[in-house]
Structures are given as structure tokens and as C-alpha cells.
């Protein structure tokens, strides 16, 4: 699903990623752990095509058979919208919109018809235990509920690959536990691939594979 070779990243003079090699198979749940500042978020942003690797070093970066560097900005945005889902520590829901509207946004960007998008959004919200929360706005939802809405939003276009950066960093331990179980349930049910950056040891250890980053590299 992901093949990345020799990924480097600089911020000015700061060499943050120092040659990351990574292979992730379809349906795998991979966790990435490491000290603060090790480069986890930077790597996830690059793997998620939200940022670009350094062009100074020669790299290979393929998702689902597509060489990412071959895509122009427009093609890349389309690829991201159709194939990738994102879950962040702060859910980044739009406050003016209801749960169902937030979930539908990536589908509207993909030009899915409104009733089709809403049908899928309802299925996801039901699956996530939010059947009675369709029309609540984010500030009328608990933290765990907001995070599940964000998960539904990440899933609406049926992405093959989901990136999560500290998805449970902001949740109490019970909501965190439920969210973690949900990732595995989703993988089992829909076959999605997950790459999860986390400081949560339990979540990291539940993954099929745990990768550790130290000073801009993955230690194997
Ligand atoms: N946009 C940026 N400009 C300059 N430096 C940056 C930028 N983004 C990250 N850095 C630096 O790159 C290094 C790695 O940052 P990154 O956010 O990837 O760490 P992290 O492993 O995700 O840490 P944490 O666990 O605290 O989230 C840090 O030293 C950070 O200060
Ligand atoms: Mg980070």
C-alpha cells in the first residue's frame, strides 16, 4: 500500500527526516512511536501527501501503485480526497456545521450527490454509535463523540488508507480505548490500512507492527 524509500525533510537548516524507509501492506495497522521532536508528524504529513519530501536526496514514494511525485497539485488533491483519510488530535470539525454536514464535506468535494453522501454519512454515524447525533453541532457533542464524527468524516469516501496523528491524545481513557477498538473493527470490516502516530503505549502495542522513530529515522 505504501512504499517509501529514503525520505528526507529539512526545515531551513534543520534536517528533520534523515532517510526514512517504510513499507506498509494493505490492511495493516502500523503504529509510529518516538520522542517528541523525533519527526513523527513530519513523516505522517509527507506520507499523507500534505507535505513534500526534500528533493535534494533521491527518494521513492508510492501509494497504491501511484508515484506521488508524478502528480501535479490538482491531481494530488484529487488523489488525497479519493484515497486518503485523516484523523488529527484536535478533530478540526467545522463549528457551524452539524455532525452529518461535517461528515459529508469530503464527499461533496468529490462531487458525490447529496442524498448519496447523506445516506453514507448516516450509515457511518450509525456504525459509530451516533444515530441520535446527526444534527448536533460539534459544541453540542462530547469529546469522544466529536472524535467519532471526525472518524466518520475520514471514512466517507472509503479511503484505502487512513492516517491518524495522536487520534486519542485528547480523550479520556475510556473514549480512547473505544476509539482504538474502532480502528480494528474498521480494518476487519472494511479492510482499511492505518498508520497511527501515538504516545499511547497501549494503542501502539495493539498495532500489527510498531515502528519507532529516533532522531529522524525509523529504527529497525
Ligand atoms: N514547519 C516547521 N518549521 C520548522 N521546524 C519544524 C516544522 N515542523 C516541525 N519542525 C521541527 O521538526 C522537528 C520534528 O517535528 P515533528 O512535529 O515531526 O515531531 P513529532 O515527532 O511529531 O513530535 P511530537 O511527539 O511532539 O508531536 C521538531 O524539532 C520541530 O521543531
Ligand atoms: Mg507530532
Amino acid at each position: 500500500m505504501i512504499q517509501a524509500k529514503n525520505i528526507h525533510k529539512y526545515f531551513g537548516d534543520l534536517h528533520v527526516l534523515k532517510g526514512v524507509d517504510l513499507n506498509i501492506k494493505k490492511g495493516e495497522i502500523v503504529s509510529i512511536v518516538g520522542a517528541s521532536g523525533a519527526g513523527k508528524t513530519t513523516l505522517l504529513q509527507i506520507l499523507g501527501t500534505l507535505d513534500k519530501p526534500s528533493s535534494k536526496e533521491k527518494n521513492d514514494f508510492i501509494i497504491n501503485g501511484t508515484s506521488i511525485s508524478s502528480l501535479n497539485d490538482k491531481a494530488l488533491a484529487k488523489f488525497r480526497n479519493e484515497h486518503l483519510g485523516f484523523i488529527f488530535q484536535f478533530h478540526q470539525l467545522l463549528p457551524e456545521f452539524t455532525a452529518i454536514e461535517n461528515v459529508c464535506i469530503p464527499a461533496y468535494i468529490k462531487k458525490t450527490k447529496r442524498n448519496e453522501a447523506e445516506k453514507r454519512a448516516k450509515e457511518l454515524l450509525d456504525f459509530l454509535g451516533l444515530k441520535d447525533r446527526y444534527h448536533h453541532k460539534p459544541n453540542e457533542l462530547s469529546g469522544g463523540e466529536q472524535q467519532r464524527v471526525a472518524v466518520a468524516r475520514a471514512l466517507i469516501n472509503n479511503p484505502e488508507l487512513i492516517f491518524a496523528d495522536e487520534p486519542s491524545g485528547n480523550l479520556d481513557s475510556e473514549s480512547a480505548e473505544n476509539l482504538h477498538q474502532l480502528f480494528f473493527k474498521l480494518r476487519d470490516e472494511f479492510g482499511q490500512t492505518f498508520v497511527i502516530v501515538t504516545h499511547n503505549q497501549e494503542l501502539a502495542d495493539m498495532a500489527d507492527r510498531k515502528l519507532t522513530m529516533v532522531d529522524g529515522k525509523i529504527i529497525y
Side-chain angles (χ1 to χ4, degrees):
M1 178 62 67
I2 302 181
Q3 292 145 273
K5 228 181 179 165
N6 202 34
I7 303 293
H8 286 257
K9 181 73 182 177
Y10 300 81
F11 291 114
D13 291 339
L14 191 64
H15 196 179
V16 174
L17 298 181
K18 301 176 180 170
V20 172
D21 298 328
L22 187 72
N23 276 297
I24 296 176
K25 291 198 278 286
K26 181 169 166 39
E28 234 189 335
I29 296 186
V30 172
S31 62
I32 300 178
V33 301
S36 180
K40 303 180 299 297
T41 294
T42 304
L43 177 63
L44 204 72
Q45 297 275 326
I46 290 175
L47 295 177
T49 75
L50 298 167
D51 199 355
K52 286 183 164 47
S54 156
S55 52
K56 235 191 277 182
E57 290 83 1
K58 185 172 160 34
N59 68 71
D60 273 320
F61 179 27
I62 295 169
I63 299 181
N64 223 353
T66 300
S67 172
I68 298 305
S69 61
S70 72
L71 302 177
N72 63 27
D73 285 354
K74 194 171 166 216
L76 191 59
K78 184 166 186 286
F79 180 85
R80 202 184 293 131
N81 175 255
E82 291 176 0
H83 298 279
L84 311 180
F86 297 91
I87 302 165
F88 303 99
Q89 172 174 6
F90 301 99
H91 51 75
Q92 300 180 342
L93 298 174
L94 298 175
E96 296 305 313
F97 292 90
T98 64
I100 198 160
E101 289 165 346
N102 267 285
V103 174
C104 284
I105 289 168
Y108 294 150
I109 292 171
K110 195 183 166 185
K111 302 200 162 57
T112 306
K113 289 202 192 79
R114 187 183 171 125
N115 45 11
E116 220 170 284
E118 285 186 356
K119 182 167 170 272
R120 172 80 182 134
K122 283 179 182 167
E123 283 169 10
L124 284 167
L125 289 168
D126 295 354
F127 179 78
L128 296 171
L130 294 165
K131 204 176 182 49
D132 304 322
R133 298 289 184 277
Y134 293 167
H135 305 294
H136 286 58
K137 291 187 176 167
N139 67 0
E140 299 162 347
L141 296 166
S142 75
E145 288 170 343
Q146 290 172 29
Q147 197 59 303
R148 278 179 281 151
V149 173
V151 172
R153 180 185 56 183
L155 295 175
I156 185 127
N157 288 343
N158 294 319
E160 295 100 315
L161 184 53
I162 293 161
F163 295 97
D165 196 352
E166 293 289 347
S168 52
N170 229 10
L171 299 178
D172 64 79
S173 57
E174 195 187 333
S175 305
E177 169 91 41
N178 289 337
L179 183 69
H180 300 162
Q181 277 167 9
L182 179 66
F183 292 156
F184 288 83
K185 194 167 148 193
L186 288 168
R187 186 268 299 272
D188 295 343
E189 209 128 321
F190 303 112
Q192 272 132 343
T193 307
F194 284 84
V195 184
I196 306 171
V197 166
T198 185
H199 285 288
N200 183 307
Q201 206 55 52
E202 227 172 294
L203 172 59
D205 289 335
M206 277 163 81
D208 302 324
R209 207 144 53 94
K210 177 167 87 171
L211 302 175
T212 304
M213 277 198 86
V214 178
D215 194 23
K217 278 188 170 170
I218 292 174
I219 306 294
Y220 287 103

